[in-house]
Amino acid sequence: MLRFIGGALKGKVLDGGDGLGKSRGYKIVLTSDRTLMSEYGGGIFLGFSACVPKGVVPDFVYFNFFCPSVRVGPRGEVEAAPCGLRRVEAALLEYGFGEDEVIVAHPEYLDWVVGPDTKVLGVNETDPLGIGPATTTFTELLGGEAYMAVKFREVVFNRTVRKYGPKIIVGGPGAWQLEPEDVRYELGLDCVVVGEAEEIIGPLCEKAVRGEPLPSVVHGTVVPPEKVPNIRHPTICGLVEISRGCGRGCDFCEPTLAKLRSFPIEKILKDVEVNIRSGRQPILHAEDVLRYGAKSLVPEKEKVLKLFKAVRSVPGVEHIGMSHFALSSVAAAPDLIEELTPIIGADEKRWASGQTGVETGSPRMIRMHMRGKVKPFKPEEWPDVVVRAFEILRENNWVPCATIIIGLPGETEKDIELTIDLVERLRPFKSLIVPLFFVAMGILRRKGHRSMRLEDLNARRAELLLKAWRHNLLWAPVLIREYLRNTARSKFTALGTALVLSYGVGVALRAIEKCEREYGWDLLAMREDVIEGRTSITPRSLKPLKWAMKLVAAVKG
Ligand code: SF4
């Protein structure tokens, strides 16, 4: 029986759980916010939708079609969890805590697992304040607050958590956002772990259990690959880490400085097996999977092939996904892509995908911010390298989901123009190009640069933003159809998602056309007219729904 809370679909409980597994609570409860406790119907890249502000679509639609919950076991434990949380769980068990002391719980079942014996609530977050690049872009444009931020607050201000007062420790890729003292104070956090946690989380939790004070911010050590513990239970979408760090040195990126460290194949295979046993096909995760085992910035083909062949030979593996790859690696090793394609199980019917960074079409911006990204090529070759990489990917049925950054420090009209030209050259390639507002992270954050805001969106930048979105919307009908066919969704969810997305595509394309034709790409002027009611981008057929949503909001007060 599915149960509903606050209009949002709650995680389905397996085997008739009653929440009485541990009435005094677990000593250490690990969790993430609700948007991260989803397998997005098998389509991990729909996780981008967690960046959409609350209220853009009704909660019911969002939590059913975009972000359905992972299943919940009888004790309130999740069936699959984010990879980082699984590593922390494994590190705690290896440190000496018992299976009956540590639980990775669903955030909506904290009242089942937190009690007087609970000493630690460990939370893993990617964007706890909703200020990461994708979230900032959506919230600046659409207004409101990202679901991730809303749901993170629900976890740390959970009534049962506040009642029993365990130490709240937050880590994960977004932990840097919580370093400022006022932020930690406002959220009532006891400790923030920035960086890798495996070597420090055990001693930290031991201190908390003993009732000793915790340091307010801890910077994790770089963990040698052989000391990273194997996961004990499945990860979201079968994500398996194959390496950490990058070393290309882009100044706007957090993993930039950490040197690339690849995990031994035997370790990777064990994590794959854990996921396969739960029915999850592996998605290999690294900042650039094509540089697995590489000693320089150029792929070492034999090492990558050896890894992928070993993963494919695990009984039960039918295909292999990838999280990220670099376009410079693709262009530097076209034969690697060709040889990998049959191993990962990609063809015309089931294309491969992964995130990648185009970032800019301007060699000047490359020289200024990301020289290492384009190596072994030169900055002035970058636009051609990108196009060549897209060609190679198309020939092999790989569909890139690429980001571009708007508003990098020092960006001029000419730089934007060059990126617009590049986006237009990429038009024939089946792909997604996600435009992101520049957010001061990495070295640029430490140098005090400020993130791009809505008021910085001049007409030229808006043209780039909307042309990138037009690229996506024009490819959307094909992508939606093929993507949903290839992901493990129920027919009902697939049809629902396809209908919502297809309708949205038509509406968005008309809005872009209006901005170009009537406003000369001045998106801010159009946005103001929409807010003031002087113009509308809502189709007549949607108006009754919009009024109904306003009415519900007014009644809710
Ligand atoms: S190549 Fe990607 S992961 Fe590496 S530093 Fe640059 S942006 Fe970061």
Side-chain angles (χ1 to χ4, degrees):
M1 176 75 182
L2 301 178
R3 302 199 297 164
F4 293 82
I5 281 193
L9 192 64
K10 201 177 178 185
K12 188 182 178 187
V13 180
L14 302 165
D15 307 332
D18 53 11
L20 300 177
K22 197 89 174 172
S23 55
R24 289 188 58 83
Y26 289 80
K27 203 176 265 181
I28 300 172
V29 175
L30 303 173
T31 194
S32 288
D33 79 70
R34 168 65 179 80
T35 66
L36 298 175
M37 290 296 192
S38 172
E39 303 199 81
Y40 313 102
I44 198 169
F45 297 118
L46 278 184
F48 261 127
S49 63
C51 307
V52 170
K54 180 174 161 62
V56 170
V57 290
D59 282 3
F60 178 81
V61 172
Y62 176 75
F63 285 108
N64 275 287
F65 296 115
F66 293 96
C67 191
S69 174
V70 289
R71 295 198 300 174
V72 184
R75 298 175 298 135
E77 79 276 23
V78 284
E79 192 189 26
C83 187
L85 212 50
R86 287 297 189 210
R87 289 272 189 237
V88 167
E89 172 191 38
L92 290 171
L93 296 176
E94 285 194 8
Y95 187 75
F97 289 102
E99 291 264 7
D100 60 337
E101 294 176 310
V102 181
I103 188 167
V104 179
H106 193 287
E108 289 167 346
Y109 290 81
L110 291 177
D111 49 338
W112 283 22
V113 294
V114 173
D117 287 351
T118 305
K119 302 298 175 208
V120 177
L121 176 74
V123 191
N124 176 281
E125 284 298 319
T126 56
D127 192 2
L129 301 184
I131 56 172
T135 322
T136 300
T137 312
F138 281 116
T139 50
E140 284 285 309
L141 286 168
L142 303 173
E145 192 178 14
Y147 270 117
M148 272 188 191
V150 174
K151 292 292 168 187
F152 172 62
R153 273 205 312 280
E154 282 181 18
V155 170
V156 294
F157 290 119
N158 175 283
R159 261 208 315 225
T160 312
V161 170
R162 292 290 155 168
K163 180 176 168 191
Y164 293 111
K167 298 278 188 216
I168 303 179
I169 303 177
V170 187
W176 60 271
Q177 300 175 5
L178 306 169
E179 278 193 77
E181 192 181 343
D182 54 333
V183 175
R184 280 182 282 110
Y185 179 77
E186 201 180 307
L187 292 165
L189 310 180
D190 296 283
C191 177
V192 171
V193 177
V194 182
E196 297 174 34
E198 287 95 341
E199 289 198 312
I200 55 170
I201 194 66
L204 263 183
C205 287
E206 195 183 347
K207 270 186 169 204
V209 167
R210 284 207 202 117
E212 294 170 16
L214 300 182
S216 41
V217 179
V218 191
H219 287 267
T221 48
V222 171
V223 185
E226 62 282 3
K227 289 206 175 154
V228 173
N230 275 108
I231 56 167
R232 308 288 181 102
H233 302 287
T235 56
I236 295 286
C237 292
L239 202 80
V240 170
E241 253 186 317
I242 60 168
S243 60
R244 281 186 187 172
C246 172
R248 286 193 185 267
C250 305
D251 62 5
F252 52 84
C253 170
E254 285 295 322
T256 185
L257 294 174
K259 211 173 132 247
L260 177 69
R261 286 155 289 149
S262 296
F263 296 172
I265 290 186
E266 305 69 50
K267 181 185 283 291
I268 294 168
L269 295 186
K270 280 188 188 153
D271 288 353
V272 170
E273 282 160 10
V274 169
N275 281 301
I276 280 291
R277 278 199 292 276
S278 75
R280 288 171 176 80
Q281 293 293 312
I283 294 181
L284 302 187
H285 169 65
E287 301 304 336
D288 178 5
V289 292
L290 301 175
R291 271 201 306 132
Y292 172 78
K295 299 240 163 12
S296 70
L297 294 179
V298 182
E300 291 184 26
K301 185 177 141 187
E302 292 315 320
K303 288 185 183 164
V304 183
L305 289 175
K306 190 173 170 198
L307 167 71
F308 276 76
K309 280 179 187 164
V311 171
R312 186 64 200 260
S313 68
V314 171
V317 172
E318 288 162 10
H319 46 84
I320 304 171
M322 294 159 295
S323 67
H324 301 81
F325 50 78
L327 294 171
S328 40
S329 296
V330 173
D335 50 339
L336 172 59
I337 308 302
E338 204 176 309
E339 288 182 50
L340 270 182
T341 300
I343 301 171
I344 61 178
D347 55 31
E348 287 98 12
K349 284 204 184 122
R350 173 181 272 282
W351 33 264
S353 188
Q355 288 184 45
T356 191
V358 168
E359 322 305 15
T360 178
S362 160
R364 199 180 75 89
M365 285 287 97
I366 294 283
R367 270 191 292 274
M368 201 180 270
H369 298 292
M370 50 194 124
R371 267 178 185 276
K373 182 181 269 290
V374 307
K375 284 191 174 160
F377 302 97
K378 296 195 186 85
E380 49 278 21
E381 293 176 298
W382 183 238
D384 293 334
V385 169
V386 171
V387 175
R388 178 68 196 122
F390 270 56
E391 274 167 5
I392 295 164
L393 295 172
R394 179 174 62 185
E395 282 157 19
N396 290 284
N397 299 303
W398 292 33
V399 176
C401 174
T403 50
I404 52 171
I405 304 176
I406 303 177
L408 277 163
E411 181 187 72
T412 62
E413 291 258 322
K414 180 72 191 162
D415 299 315
I416 304 166
E417 225 170 82
L418 289 169
T419 310
I420 292 174
D421 288 349
L422 181 55
V423 167
E424 285 176 344
R425 285 177 72 191
L426 298 177
R427 173 74 194 93
F429 300 100
K430 193 197 287 182
S431 56
L432 287 176
I433 301 175
V434 182
L436 301 173
F437 283 12
F438 163 70
V439 169
M441 301 194 315
I443 297 166
L444 293 179
R445 176 169 67 99
R446 292 183 266 285
K447 281 188 180 166
H449 281 276
R450 89 165 170 80
S451 302
M452 174 162 148
R453 305 213 178 99
L454 191 62
E455 63 263 28
D456 303 321
L457 188 69
N458 57 31
R460 210 68 173 127
R461 284 176 170 157
E463 182 182 348
L464 170 57
L465 177 100
L466 295 177
K467 282 187 168 167
W469 270 108
R470 187 156 67 191
H471 171 101
N472 300 334
L473 294 165
L474 291 171
W475 274 111
V478 181
L479 287 169
I480 293 169
R481 198 174 54 243
E482 296 178 355
Y483 192 67
L484 293 176
R485 188 187 61 205
N486 290 342
T487 53
R489 289 165 172 264
S490 71
K491 280 210 173 99
F492 170 71
T493 315
L495 185 68
T497 312
L499 281 176
V500 173
L501 288 173
S502 303
Y503 192 78
V505 165
V507 174
L509 274 174
R510 279 195 294 279
I512 292 173
E513 202 188 308
K514 186 182 179 88
C515 189
E516 178 178 12
R517 211 183 48 241
E518 296 177 26
Y519 290 85
W521 299 114
D522 189 346
L523 184 58
L524 291 190
M526 183 168 113
R527 185 178 179 271
E528 204 178 309
D529 281 356
V530 170
I531 292 168
E532 296 297 323
R534 291 188 287 266
T535 191
S536 172
I537 52 168
T538 311
R540 264 189 222 125
S541 55
L542 263 192
K543 282 195 174 148
L545 178 64
K546 203 174 156 190
W547 293 328
M549 281 172 70
K550 274 191 182 164
L551 190 65
V552 171
V555 170
K556 275 187 178 172

